[in-house]
């Protein structure tokens, strides 16, 4: 059982929880992830990346988006509640060294796992540029945290509601074309974004790593569900990854595999909302009412 | 199977038993007694539910079957048992109706009889050299040792379980057991009895290893595994679930910082093997490990309650001929498939699966395509499986080991439609612990190297089960666990 110390809602669909996990907090390194289960009898094992850790407090921070039933259940928990199972840290840590110029590209929720990698790259003495991308203003996360660690921060949104109106690949391409060409690029985000980051840097021969978020069950090298073709060889994200050379990953194959259970998951997610069992909407409504009342100066 | 119902089997056994009462049986009498079949759920019915298939002997059946044992002085069966159970000893007691006594005899060497009675490949172990089977010219006519063992264990469970083993006063020593599978649970029990403190570290949310994630409920009810774990807890063994030694905590830290005096590594099999043919990463291709973990550990078979999804399948191909292939095929049927084929490159005779599982699978309607193996998984151009390209084989000349190897028949390739392919061709070893534990010596395949006492290259560290043997069986893992535990107990006496 891992107790939730604090919880906040970063946007409609994105939540941050700090949980007690002393061993993981001590052992984890940038690039690693955990598997979370809110219900060990019937729940799913969900891989989530570690956004931050505090070994002194013995806590780790998870940032996640509510994409299905299990992340919904997780989002419904509050400070003081416990998550039944948290396993980790899993996967290989990011290889960190002084490359020279490093560029971190984080898209959407991918900005969360990028944060510790950005920190580590900066600490190793790299010149660090961070590109943060999101669909729209509300989905931009960790902007201030990234600004504090990066030498240069570029924020882009698809709809131009915040920062520059562009896809992350546009500033990435400009950097590759500039005199200050990156020595390493790390991309984490939706698979299609990582694929196009890889295509952007490929002509420039810039080494590019991507952290893959495949389907996973055990996360310890047993089930093989996370397999992906890299450089023509089958590799396992949980024990060989999660980071791979983005130029070698079979992105189309990986994206197809990610959609294997999509119809079932969408159905379950929809059923959750229609059953009226989803408490998140109610929670958001209550928060809004409280906020409005506070603004109006009324007692809650 | 003779098609008799459980009730018929039971009443026939009662008659046979009545005929035995008070009689001094000669070997000829014993040999004339009928083999007692295992009462099972009706095939058509069980193929659509998750309940246990084999229902277990009635008391009369167990006693008649026990009366078949010739009580050979040389007891070849004992030599065939990986943990050397005194088989004639316990069977003799069953014949006399002393079931508690029989349980005591089994427990001297086997801590998990309810499990072994169900999942051991008896026809390859204890029952293979049985004198009666040899005399009657068929291993299927051997004394049904496994079924009697199960009867004894179940009877004891029904009566409240085995008496708690005596635990010696605290020794002040502490042992880490890594992995809560059959090897680890065995080590924990044997080491705890000597008064040592024992902590079992398990990566999954439940103890049992392959017995909970791999072997399905219909073959091994999870309640039995849970009872065994609870018994260990009552003995004072502590479980640290959701803990991956090597990642959550390095093995070296357990020994050097956390005060453990010895460790046992029983982390089991690892990465699934694939066929290495085109199309294996298409949607609809699963390793048996994934398919079974979803269905068993994550309980995806209960679609109402479980959140973990299972792929909806209508036409399923299972590749392989072992127990895991049988489990996958039969699970697919229970999850609603219309037609399930097992593709195996050799013939039924060479199949490594437990004979009873093959029989059950056939009764349930699984189709066996022998001398067949795919060369390619076919897709719809959008990444989803549509079938297999299958090559036919014939058996060639025996190789030096005497096994006839399959030879591909050229030009025999043909396409067969399937929407799901489950690959059950074995596992590589789990790379994780070796990778994160400097000094733990492994062979080329990644199996941990041990000496005759299961001791690894690292001081204070023993290993056993699939991480040493490769994919083996529950009973072999237990056997290694017992050996390791004895060595650990010896070591802790001196250190």
């Amino acid at each position: 059982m891992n107790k939730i110390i604090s919880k906040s809602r970063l946007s409609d669909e994105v939540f941050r929880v700090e949980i007690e996990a002393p061993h993981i907090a001590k052992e984890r390194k940038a690039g690693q992830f955990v598997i979370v289960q809110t219900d060990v009898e019937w729940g799913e094992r969900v891989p989530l990346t570690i956004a931050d850790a505090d070994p002194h407090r013995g806590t780790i921070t998870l940032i996640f988006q509510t994409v299905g039933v299990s992340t919904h259940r997780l989002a419904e928990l509050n400070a003081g509640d416990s998550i039944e199972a948290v396993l980790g840290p899993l996967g290989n840590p990011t290889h960190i060294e002084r490359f020279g110029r490093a560029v971190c590209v984080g898209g959407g929720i991918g900005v969360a796992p990028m944060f510790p990698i950005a920190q580590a790259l900066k600490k190793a003495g790299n010149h660090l540029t961070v590109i943060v991308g999101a669909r729209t203003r509300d989905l931009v996360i960790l902007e201030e945290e990234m600004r504090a660690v990066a030498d240069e921060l570029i924020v882009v949104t698809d709809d131009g509601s915040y920062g520059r109106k562009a896809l992350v690949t546009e500033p990435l391409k400009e950097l590759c074309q500039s005199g200050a060409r990156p020595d390493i690029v790390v991309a984490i985000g939706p698979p299609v974004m990582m694929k196009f980051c890889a295509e952007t840097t490929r002509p420039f021969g810039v080494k590019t790593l991507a952290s893959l978020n495949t389907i996973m069950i055990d996360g310890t090298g047993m089930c093989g569900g996370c397999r992906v073709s890299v450089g023509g060889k089958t590799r396992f994200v949980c024990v060989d990854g999660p980071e791979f050379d983005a130029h070698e990953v079979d992105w189309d194959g990986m994206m197809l595999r990610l959609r294997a259970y999509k119809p079932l998951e969408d159905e379950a997610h929809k059923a959750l909302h229609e059953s009226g069992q989803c408490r998140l909407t109610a929670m958001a409504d209550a928060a809004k009412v409280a906020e409005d009342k506070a603004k109006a100066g009324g007692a809650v | 199977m003779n098609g008799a119902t459980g009730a018929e089997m039971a009443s026939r056994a009662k008659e046979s038993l009545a005929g035995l009462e008070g009689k001094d049986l000669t070997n000829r009498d014993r040999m004339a007694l009928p083999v007692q079949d295992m009462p099972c759920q009706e095939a058509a019915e069980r193929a659509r539910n998750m309940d246990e298939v084999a229902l277990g002997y009635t008391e009369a059946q167990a006693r008649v079957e026990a009366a078949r044992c010739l009580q050979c002085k040389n007891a070849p069966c004992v030599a065939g048992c990986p943990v050397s159970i005194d088989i004639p000893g316990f069977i003799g007691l069953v014949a006399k109706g002393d079931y508690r006594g029989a349980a005591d005899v089994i427990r001297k060497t086997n801590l998990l009889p309810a499990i072994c009675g169900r999942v051991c490949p008896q026809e390859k172990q204890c029952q293979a050299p049985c004198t009666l089977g040899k005399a009657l010219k068929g291993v299927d006519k051997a004394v049904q040792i496994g079924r009697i063992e199960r009867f004894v264990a179940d009877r004891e469970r029904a009566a409240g379980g085995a008496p708690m083993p005596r635990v010696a006063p605290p020794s002040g020593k502490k042992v880490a057991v890594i992995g809560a599978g059959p090897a680890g649970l065995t080590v924990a029990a044997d080491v705890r009895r000597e008064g040592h403190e024992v902590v079992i570290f398990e990566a999954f949310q439940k103890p049992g290893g392959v017995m909970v994630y791999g072997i399905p409920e219909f073959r091994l009810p999870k309640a039995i595994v849970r009872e065994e774990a609870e018994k260990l807890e009552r003995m004072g063994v502590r479980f640290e679930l959701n803990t991956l030694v090597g990642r959550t905590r390095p093995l070296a830290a357990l020994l050097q910082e956390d005060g453990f005096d010895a460790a046992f590594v029983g982390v089991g099999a690892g990465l699934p093997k694939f066929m290495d043919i085109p199309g294996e990463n298409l949607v609809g291709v699963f390793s048996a490990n994934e398919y079974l973990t979803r269905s068993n550990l994550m309980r995806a078979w209960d679609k109402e309650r479980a959140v973990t999804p299972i792929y909806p399948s209508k036409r399923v191909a299972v590749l392989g001929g072992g127990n895991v292939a049988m489990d996958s095929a039969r699970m697919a049927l229970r999850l609603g498939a219309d037609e399930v084929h097992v593709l195996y490159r050799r013939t039924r005779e060479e199949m490594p699966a437990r004979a009873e599982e093959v029989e059950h699978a056939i009764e349930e309607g699984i189709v066996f395509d022998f001398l067949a193996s795919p060369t390619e998984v076919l897709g719809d151009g959008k990444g989803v499986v549509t079938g297999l390209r299958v090559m036919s084989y014939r058996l060639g000349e025996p190789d030096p080991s005497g096994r006839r190897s399959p030879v591909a028949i050229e030009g025999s390739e043909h396409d067969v439609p399937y929407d799901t392919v489950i690959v059950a061709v074995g596992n590589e070893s789990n790379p994780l612990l070796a990778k994160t534990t400097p000094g733990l010596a492994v062979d080329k395949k990644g199996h941990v190297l041990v000496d005759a006492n299961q001791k690894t290259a690292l001081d204070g560290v023993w290993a056993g089960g699939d991480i040493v043997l490769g994919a083996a069986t529950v009973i072999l893992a237990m056997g290694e666990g017992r050996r390791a535990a004895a060595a650990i107990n010896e070591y802790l006496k001196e250190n």
Side-chain angles (χ1 to χ4, degrees), chain A residues 85-130:
Chain A
V86 179
L87 172 70
L90 303 173
N92 296 307
T94 308
H95 173 72
I96 301 288
E97 61 171 74
R98 188 171 176 171
F99 296 98
R101 291 188 172 273
V103 176
C104 290
V105 187
I109 194 75
V111 176
M114 187 60 89
F115 181 60
I117 298 172
Q119 281 179 312
L121 284 167
K122 182 63 197 165
K123 203 173 155 202
N126 292 285
H127 177 277
L128 180 67
T129 302
V130 174

Side-chain angles (χ1 to χ4, degrees), chain A residues 41 45 88 222-223 227 239, chain B residues 205 248 280 287 289 299:
Chain A
E41 284 305 322
R45 296 169 63 90
M222 197 276 285
C223 82
R227 68 192 189 279
V239 289
Chain B
Q205 68 267 30
T248 312
E280 247 175 334
S287 76
N289 281 3
R299 300 155 95 182

Side-chain angles (χ1 to χ4, degrees), chain B residues 211-439:
Chain B
M211 301 182 291
V212 295
Y213 75 73
I215 303 176
E217 176 77 18
F218 59 78
R219 198 149 76 82
L220 177 62
K222 301 310 144 211
I224 297 177
V225 183
R226 200 167 54 235
E227 282 165 24
E228 295 301 339
E230 284 166 0
K231 196 157 81 187
L232 287 176
E233 274 184 327
R234 285 201 303 277
M235 285 172 70
V237 170
R238 200 150 58 79
F239 284 90
E240 288 274 359
L241 303 175
N242 304 298
T243 304
L244 183 61
V245 174
R247 286 281 188 221
T248 312
R249 194 87 181 119
L251 176 54
L254 295 179
L255 294 167
Q256 284 151 24
E257 296 167 33
D258 300 348
F260 286 97
D261 300 286
F264 173 78
V265 175
V267 296
L271 291 170
K273 279 189 202 163
F274 287 89
M275 305 277 293
D276 214 10
I277 56 176
E280 247 175 334
N281 289 341
L282 291 174
V283 172
V285 184
F286 304 91
S287 76
N289 281 3
E290 176 180 357
Y291 196 78
L292 291 173
T293 303
R294 283 180 184 272
S295 335
N296 299 328
L297 178 73
M298 308 310 293
R299 300 155 95 182
W301 52 267
D302 190 332
K303 289 170 192 163
E304 292 298 307
R305 286 193 282 180
V307 181
T308 302
I310 190 87
Y311 199 71
S313 308
K314 289 295 161 204
R315 277 185 61 85
V316 180
V318 177
L319 314 180
N323 286 323
V324 177
M326 297 306 105
D327 288 345
S328 305
R330 298 169 71 198
M331 181 59 85
L333 202 62
R334 283 160 174 76
L335 290 173
D338 295 332
E339 199 169 321
V340 182
H341 288 240
V342 171
L343 276 68
Y344 183 55
R345 222 153 52 104
R346 302 170 193 250
T347 66
R348 178 164 180 188
E349 228 157 88
E350 291 83 21
M351 274 178 76
R354 197 169 172 261
E356 193 174 74
E357 309 312 327
V358 183
E359 270 165 37
H360 285 165
I362 291 170
E363 287 167 13
E364 289 165 16
I366 305 286
V367 183
F368 285 80
D369 298 341
F370 292 114
L371 296 165
S373 182
T375 54
E376 187 179 346
V377 184
L378 307 170
D380 63 354
K382 292 180 219 143
V384 179
V385 170
T386 57
L388 288 175
R389 181 153 296 160
V390 181
M391 177 84 89
S392 301
Y393 288 77
R394 61 180 172 79
L395 284 185
E397 294 305 309
D399 61 15
S401 72
R403 204 158 105 128
R404 295 182 64 189
S405 44
V407 182
I409 301 172
E410 254 181 75
S412 68
E413 276 178 304
H414 53 286
D415 294 352
V416 187
Y418 290 109
D419 55 40
T420 304
V421 177
I422 303 171
V423 186
V425 295
N427 299 300
E428 313 276 356
S429 57
N430 193 321
L432 217 144
L433 197 65
K435 199 162 83 178
T436 56
T437 310

